[in-house]
Each structure stands twice: as C-alpha cells, then as structure tokens.
Amino acid sequence: MVCLGNICRSPIAEGVLQSKVNSDLVFVDSAGTAAYHVGNAPDKRSIYIASKYNVNLKNQKARKFTVSDFESFDTIYAMDESNYQNIIKLAKNNSHISKVKLILNEVNPLSNQSVPDPYYGGTQGFEKVYMMLQEACSIIAEKLQNDR
Ligand code: 4NP
C-alpha cells in the first residue's frame, strides 16, 4: 500500500487489509514515495478513524518505498495517480511495472480514480478515505481468498 507520506492513506489501507486476511498467509505493508515522515507514526486523524472501526494503526511507522519492494511484494497498490507514476519511475523491468495497480481500480476497474489526499483537510476527509479503502480492501481480501 503506497501513498506519498505513508502517514495518512496507506497506513489505513495496510491496517484495513491486514484486518481482513489471515496474517499467517498474507503479509501487508505500506510505504511512502516521499521521505518527509520516515519513522513517524500515522497521522492522529488516521489512527482515530481506524480505531472507530476497531483497526489499530498505532504500531505502524512510516518508511520510504524502495526498489526492493518490487521483489518483496506480489502486488503494489498506489493510492493515487501521482503515487503510481512515482513508483513506476523506480521500476527496473516489466515484471515490476505489472505489479503496480491503482487501488480504486479494484472497485471500479479501469476508472483510474484516486484516493484523495486528506492531509490538509479535516476529519471528514479521513472518514471518506477510510470508506473508500474499506470497500477496496474487501474486494482485495476476497480475491486473495479465491486465489488460494
Ligand atoms: P499521505 O498524506 O500521502 O496519505 O500520507 C500526506 C501526508 C503528508 C504530506 C502529504 C500527504 N506532506 O506533504 O507532508
């Protein structure tokens, strides 16, 4: 799960997807394409919204996306078009490129919609982001189940 800062959107996506899958079988992680917040906990507003739905983000710490993530993960979900482009720039081959998807295309295929960046807005934006990611992660979890 990748966004820009790894403190608002992708921590929610990580927490929500991990809560929907068997952690013995599926490893979920998140990262940011920028290093501004490396080492920081998720934004308080993300922690608060997730906790309302019993998803704990408190143990997460921001890190920067690295080229080795292309090898470590089967699928890389970008939150928005700009994150997508930033990840693709780091790809070394077609196999890397093919792993990168816009997360909301799981909900509306080929629509190329973005999860809006809630950082500069209020709590409402985080609620909206949470709902979008909850829907996308339900679909992803179901697919992972069917893959087995
Ligand atoms: P995120 O949100 O990419 O969802 O974690 C942001 C967090 C921080 C900044 C921008 C977006 N920032 O500019 O510091």
Side-chain angles (χ1 to χ4, degrees), residues 3-11 36-37 79 83 117-120:
C3 61
L4 178 64
N6 192 207
I7 54 166
C8 297
R9 292 165 291 178
S10 59
Y36 324 127
H37 299 281
M79 298 297 123
N83 311 145
D117 182 349
Y119 187 64
Y120 293 104

